[in-house]
Amino acid sequence: MDLVSFLPQLGGFFYVIASFVVALSVIVAVHEYGHYIVGRWSGIHAEVFSLGFGPVLFSRVDKRGTRWQIALLPFGGYVKFLGDSDAASGKDAAAMAEASADPAALRRTMHGAPLWARAATVAAGPVFNFVMSAVIFAGVFFASGTIRNPLTVADVMPLPGLEQDLQAGDQLLQVEGVSVPSLEDSAAWEGFRTSVPEQQPLRYTVLRDGQQAEVQGPYPWPPHVRGVAPRSAAADADLQPGDVIVAVNGAPIFAFDQLKRAVEGGEGAELQLEIWRDGDTFATALTPRRVDEPQADGGFATQWRMGIVGGLAFEPASEAVSLSDAIIAGGAQVWGVVDMSLSGLTHMITGAISTCNLSGPIGIAETSGAMASQGAESFIRFIAVLSTAVGLLNLFPIPALDGGHLMFYAYEAVTGKPPSDGVMRVLMTFGIAAILTLMLFALGNDLFC
């Protein structure tokens, strides 16, 4: 391979790494700031706030005596409180012995503070991750609004091989004689989907400028690519948002369900696709993959998938939402990510779905780059999802994680005394070993799945 052909791949590699570092740095900064600020409010002194590990590139000490620093390896961070021996908040026996002579100094240490202060400081990291995710989801929802009800055309998307008469502002009343239901009635909407005949063109009854009119339009759900899933067959085939799949294995198609049936019925066989992009048509090959998809009942179903998201044949009009509705929706999305993550983990442990669903640093980095390439909104949403996952992971009751410390504090609350230093050292060693094992397993998934 010569240098000229290698440069685009090298640029793509750096783009992926940069996207990953940005996403991780934001999440880590928010997580560690949660620890720092709640610790400060609780009277615990922070000696070091570090973004990254290893050699320090930049640092400054603030008026409270906390050293803020940026280190060379941008794959994490930590807050070291007074009395900690390391980034995992192990006890510094010498520092604690020195502080024990002065009650005021002892109170400022992590291990000499009251139980409530320690618990609040530790819990604040994951809580700040969840709050950041909820704020991002709410902000995106507030900015983009919700689809206007009744369904109204905002913009007509170009589709190949069809003359259509839909216009921006048309309010849809019927499609081929089938009434368009309220978007809030999911059962009626599904009935509408199945009742519309799979043909085109179709006869649309619309309300236009206050007058009812009949116009010609496309099948409402075309094989139009609205989004591409990272690390999917479609991503490997370089499909892009805006593409329209016009033929599969030589057979013309115009409905997304036609494409879905071809993918699921092929059982993993390679598909020859004809793609329409910006007025030009080209051919490409794609091999679907088996994907474990979450279901409404909390379970998973394994299907053959390309990895694309479809949508309507036009851009639906949106309307503003209230701030309260946006906040509620943001919180609901955070809970949805948590629920899906726990369900997925449970199904992996029981063997119901493949452990290949667990991604490691390489998979997360590739996903970061893919989402960043799809635009700022996709990347910001990805940061929110990843922030929720990081917050949830840190709450697992594994020594060396925040959840492990909270488990020790719960033990102390019940028994009236913390575990002995010897027991803590053993448990922390096992915890670190478990974390490293999990990381290696996830990395193996990235390389071999």
Side-chain angles (χ1 to χ4, degrees):
M1 180 181 293
D2 59 29
L3 180 61
V4 173
S5 60
F6 179 69
L7 283 177
Q9 298 183 37
L10 186 64
F13 171 77
F14 282 120
Y15 184 79
V16 166
I17 295 300
S19 302
F20 178 52
V21 169
V22 169
L24 190 61
S25 296
V26 171
I27 292 167
V28 168
V30 169
H31 180 96
E32 298 303 334
Y33 187 77
H35 289 314
Y36 163 78
I37 193 63
V38 173
R40 197 182 90 187
W41 290 341
S42 302
I44 303 173
H45 174 64
E47 293 185 308
V48 180
F49 185 111
S50 179
L51 280 182
F53 299 98
V56 176
L57 302 177
F58 168 81
S59 69
R60 61 175 289 271
V61 178
D62 67 15
K63 63 182 180 180
R64 294 182 177 84
T66 301
R67 184 170 77 248
W68 299 75
Q69 64 184 37
I70 298 176
L72 179 63
L73 303 176
F75 303 114
Y78 62 91
V79 176
K80 181 179 178 295
F81 291 101
L82 185 63
D84 287 345
S85 61
D86 50 42
S89 199
K91 184 186 292 186
D92 185 336
M96 292 304 297
E98 181 180 348
S100 62
D102 181 358
L106 184 64
R107 173 61 180 81
R108 298 179 70 236
T109 67
M110 182 63 171
H111 304 276
L115 180 60
W116 68 264
R118 286 176 279 148
T121 300
V122 168
V127 169
F128 269 52
N129 281 134
F130 295 142
V131 170
M132 182 185 80
S133 298
V135 168
I136 289 176
F137 286 137
V140 171
F141 188 61
F142 186 74
S144 59
T146 187
I147 296 177
R148 184 183 299 171
N149 195 14
L151 188 61
T152 304
V153 177
D155 189 23
V156 179
M157 295 186 299
L159 293 172
L162 178 70
E163 293 291 335
Q164 58 171 307
D165 303 318
L166 287 175
Q167 298 180 7
D170 285 349
Q171 179 182 315
L172 272 58
L173 303 177
Q174 292 182 338
V175 179
E176 205 64 36
V178 182
S179 296
V180 179
S182 169
L183 297 172
E184 298 173 352
D185 189 340
S186 57
W189 181 259
E190 184 59 29
F192 168 69
R193 271 184 54 89
T194 57
S195 298
V196 172
E198 199 172 273
Q199 66 185 51
Q200 72 173 13
L202 292 170
R203 178 170 47 88
Y204 282 70
T205 304
V206 302
L207 189 64
R208 177 181 295 174
D209 298 327
Q211 301 293 321
Q212 187 169 306
E214 288 195 357
V215 298
Q216 177 177 285
Y219 184 74
W221 301 277
H224 176 260
V225 180
R226 287 296 190 99
V228 179
R231 308 183 74 206
S232 64
D236 290 347
D238 198 31
L239 266 64
Q240 300 176 13
D243 289 349
V244 180
I245 301 168
V246 295
V248 179
N249 293 334
I253 63 171
F254 58 84
F256 194 91
D257 282 348
Q258 292 174 317
L259 175 63
K260 184 179 178 182
R261 289 193 294 269
V263 171
E264 293 177 348
E267 297 187 344
E270 183 181 77
L271 301 176
Q272 300 297 321
L273 304 180
E274 189 174 332
I275 310 296
W276 182 86
R277 177 183 296 170
D278 298 328
D280 296 322
T281 303
F282 64 92
T284 188
L286 178 148
T287 302
R289 298 173 184 166
R290 293 187 71 85
V291 176
D292 297 312
E293 295 182 335
Q295 305 297 300
D297 61 1
F300 282 79
T302 303
Q303 301 283 1
W304 292 102
R305 292 289 183 257
M306 291 172 49
I308 66 172
V309 178
L312 289 166
F314 54 87
E315 193 68 39
S318 62
E319 58 187 9
V321 297
S322 68
L323 182 59
S324 61
D325 285 344
I327 292 172
I328 292 171
Q333 284 191 282
V334 170
W335 173 248
V337 174
V338 169
D339 184 55
M340 185 175 65
S341 299
L342 292 175
S343 177
L345 182 61
T346 301
H347 282 77
M348 280 188 278
I349 292 173
T350 60
I353 63 174
S354 171
T355 55
C356 286
N357 287 283
L358 182 66
S359 294
I362 296 176
I364 296 172
E366 290 179 345
T367 303
S368 300
M371 300 309 288
S373 68
Q374 293 187 30
E377 181 177 329
S378 294
F379 186 55
I380 291 171
R381 281 182 176 273
F382 170 72
I383 290 177
V385 172
L386 187 58
S387 178
T388 302
V390 168
L392 178 62
L393 176 63
N394 272 276
L395 287 178
F396 286 177
I398 300 174
L401 294 180
D402 295 332
H405 289 290
L406 292 174
M407 180 177 62
F408 297 145
Y409 296 153
Y411 172 85
E412 182 178 348
V414 172
T415 64
K417 60 180 181 179
S420 67
D421 291 346
V423 170
M424 286 289 290
R425 282 194 294 270
V426 172
L427 291 176
M428 293 291 279
T429 300
F430 276 109
I432 293 171
I435 294 169
L436 291 176
T437 300
L438 181 62
M439 291 177 61
L440 289 174
F441 181 78
L443 181 61
N445 282 351
D446 291 339
L447 297 175
F448 303 115
C449 277

